[in-house]
Amino acid sequence: MTTAQKIDVSVYMLTYFHEKYVSEAIESVLGQNTNYTYELVISDDCSKDNTVEIIKEYQRKYPEIIRLQLNEENIGIPRNIYQARCMCRGRYIVALSGDDYWIDDQKLEKEVGFLDEHPEYYSLYNVTEMRNDDCMSAYAIEPPKEYWDRSYTLKDYEKGNTLDSHGFMMRNAFLTEEGRQYFKKSQGISRFVDDAADNFFILKKGPAYIL
């Protein structure tokens, strides 16, 4: 992929002491069966294990797809999320943690296609399986079934039903300074991980759909 080529989706991955999991996470991105162009932005928050060497090796193998940000000091999850999102060049951005992986090789194909066909939605959330290490069955699934295949708005949020942000996709507001500054506000709400704050700022931009 050349820098001049249009990128449809940017996958951003945060890593921190993920040497046990990160290869599976990266492979689940590289294994996507899609006609859409994508890049993988990995931002490591000063891991001291073998995580950095693993992601560097992948970047050497796939320099046209993978871009790295290696923090020299730990800046914490909210700032690292913001930093990674600002690096994303695609029309859409999608989250994947370094200790998670996708089980559907058409995730990007389905989700980009949906948002292209439904401009009324700003973001797209997916059903997530929670698994213990080395276990192929889920001990929990989020969100509950009553939220599957339906829209989700601020009215749902106001009822206290926040969404899990694992794997969600949204339109890339970070391509503009106005968009970056808008989402930067969430860091003022919480210095720590706060999906609820992220949900709020995303839903203020427009409704979501849950596939």
Side-chain angles (χ1 to χ4, degrees), residues 43-60:
S43 187
D44 182 80
D45 204 12
C46 198
S47 296
K48 299 300 184 183
D49 60 355
N50 200 40
T51 301
V52 171
E53 290 308 311
I54 294 171
I55 63 177
K56 280 183 175 179
E57 180 60 27
Y58 272 101
Q59 200 276 333
R60 285 191 286 267

Side-chain angles (χ1 to χ4, degrees), residues 95-184:
L96 178 63
S97 176
D99 58 353
D100 295 329
Y101 62 95
W102 293 334
I103 60 175
D104 187 345
D105 67 1
Q106 291 191 313
K107 174 185 171 65
L108 296 183
E109 182 74 11
K110 294 174 182 177
E111 295 184 348
V112 174
F114 182 93
L115 287 176
D116 276 352
E117 294 172 7
H118 297 87
E120 68 271 25
Y121 290 107
Y122 185 76
S123 60
L124 193 63
Y125 287 76
N126 54 256
V127 177
T128 302
E129 292 188 357
M130 309 299 181
R131 301 179 178 182
N132 291 317
D133 284 5
D134 304 319
C135 183
M136 295 305 294
S137 60
Y139 66 83
I141 298 177
E142 295 291 342
K145 283 189 176 181
E146 59 263 31
Y147 285 97
W148 296 5
D149 297 313
R150 52 155 283 189
S151 61
Y152 178 94
T153 70
L154 273 175
K155 289 184 178 180
D156 296 298
Y157 176 93
E158 289 168 351
K159 295 176 183 178
N161 302 315
T162 58
L163 289 175
D164 192 311
S165 63
H166 291 292
F168 85 99
M169 179 181 287
M170 70 177 179
R171 301 182 188 278
N172 191 358
F174 289 78
L175 293 173
T176 68
E177 180 62 24
E178 180 183 5
R180 289 191 291 270
Q181 290 303 313
Y182 172 79
F183 279 99
K184 193 174 184 179

Side-chain angles (χ1 to χ4, degrees), residues 1-11 29-30 34-41 62-67 89-90 108:
M1 183 189 304
T2 64
T3 54
Q5 185 175 353
K6 185 177 181 180
I7 299 173
D8 291 307
V9 58
S10 297
V11 182
V29 177
L30 298 176
T34 179
N35 293 311
Y36 295 107
T37 56
Y38 66 90
E39 65 176 355
L40 173 58
V41 173
Y62 303 97
E64 297 299 312
I65 297 176
I66 298 176
R67 299 163 58 217
R89 302 175 295 181
L108 296 183

Side-chain angles (χ1 to χ4, degrees), residues 85 122-123 125 168 170 182-183 197-208:
R85 289 177 176 177
Y122 185 76
S123 60
Y125 287 76
F168 85 99
M170 70 177 179
Y182 172 79
F183 279 99
D198 212 24
N199 284 172
F200 174 78
F201 280 97
I202 292 168
L203 290 168
K204 283 284 285 183
K205 284 285 189 179

